[in-house]
Amino acid sequence: MIAVVGSLNLDLVAPVPRHPVPGETVLGGDIAQHPGGKGANQAVAAARLGAGVSFVGRVGDDDAGQVMTDAVGGQGVDITHVRTTAGTATGRAMIAVSPAGENSIIVSPGANSRLGAADCEAAADVLRRAAVTVLQQEVPDEANHAAARLAGGTVLYNPAPVTPGTTPPPYVDLLVPNRTELAALTGTDVPRTTDEVVTAARRLRGAGAVVVTLGGDGVLLLEGTAHLHLPAFRVRPTDTTAAGDCFCGALAVALSEGRPLTEAVRWASAAAALSTTRAGAQSSLPARDEVEEFLSRQK
Ligand code: RIB
């Protein structure tokens, strides 16, 4: 079983011809509303890939909260530990997507910001039993630190989004940043070349292994003194929203099945590549047979 501690957001998505610069208004296309939130996306990704998943999070007592619990619960995720917070709005995200599939996102955390150590302690039994516990940064540090402390299995920490002042849990088994998050965690410039990524990732302390997601440049895996670069699968992206979430959820599934890390990373990369070919967050997440079929077509 996989435990995910994290955010639930209802996403409002608009296509834009290009992303606006400060002070500029651009006219976009038709608005769509999708279930999202990094935590919820990771949980649904894992459930679609066949894992048993329990979620720890908070929604507000509004319509969006009902939409989110229906969406996540409807995908087979156990929502016993999703609490409704009275007098608070559910998390929302405003997302602009360019023709190249690149997104920019503003998150209004709402009830996600109320998640605390007590929520994780109430779910202690789930966290102790989980083969993998997945964490991100759209909920307070207090919740992530408590979850990491209570987790009985592998702790996968995805430091997304980069949030000034956030402290990662003191120890995680697997840290999964992208380039920007790696730069924020290490206080370096955003690394561009493979050598720069390796140098920056080696500065990280308190993680067993580091998996740096590089978008179209693939993934860099560092374990001990060794590192390995896995190239990206070639796809034509339409919307990269939730690709990182899909990667983390899929990686958790593969690790919970006892697969070696390199194989797990390749499988997760395939799932994430597929997710970029579809619009939206949870709407883009592939089923297990789709990932297997995609991989069978690769040389
Ligand atoms: O990673 C994508 C997610 O980031 C979106 O679903 C949005 O809710 C924000 O949390």
Side-chain angles (χ1 to χ4, degrees), residues 34-72:
H34 301 288
K38 293 188 192 302
N41 296 344
Q42 294 177 2
V44 169
R48 288 224 181 115
L49 293 167
V53 185
S54 281
F55 196 83
V56 182
R58 285 203 185 211
V59 292
D61 58 351
D62 51 8
D63 291 348
Q66 193 62 52
V67 171
M68 286 309 304
T69 48
D70 287 351
V72 174

Side-chain angles (χ1 to χ4, degrees), residues 1 58-59 77 82 95-96 108 131-132 137 147 155 158 163 176 190 198 219 267 274 293:
M1 184 262 292
R58 285 203 185 211
V59 292
V77 174
V82 176
I95 305 181
S108 171
V132 182
Q137 276 188 185
V155 176
N158 172 219
T163 315
V176 187
V190 175
V198 172
V219 179
W267 197 70
L274 265 179
E293 197 271 334

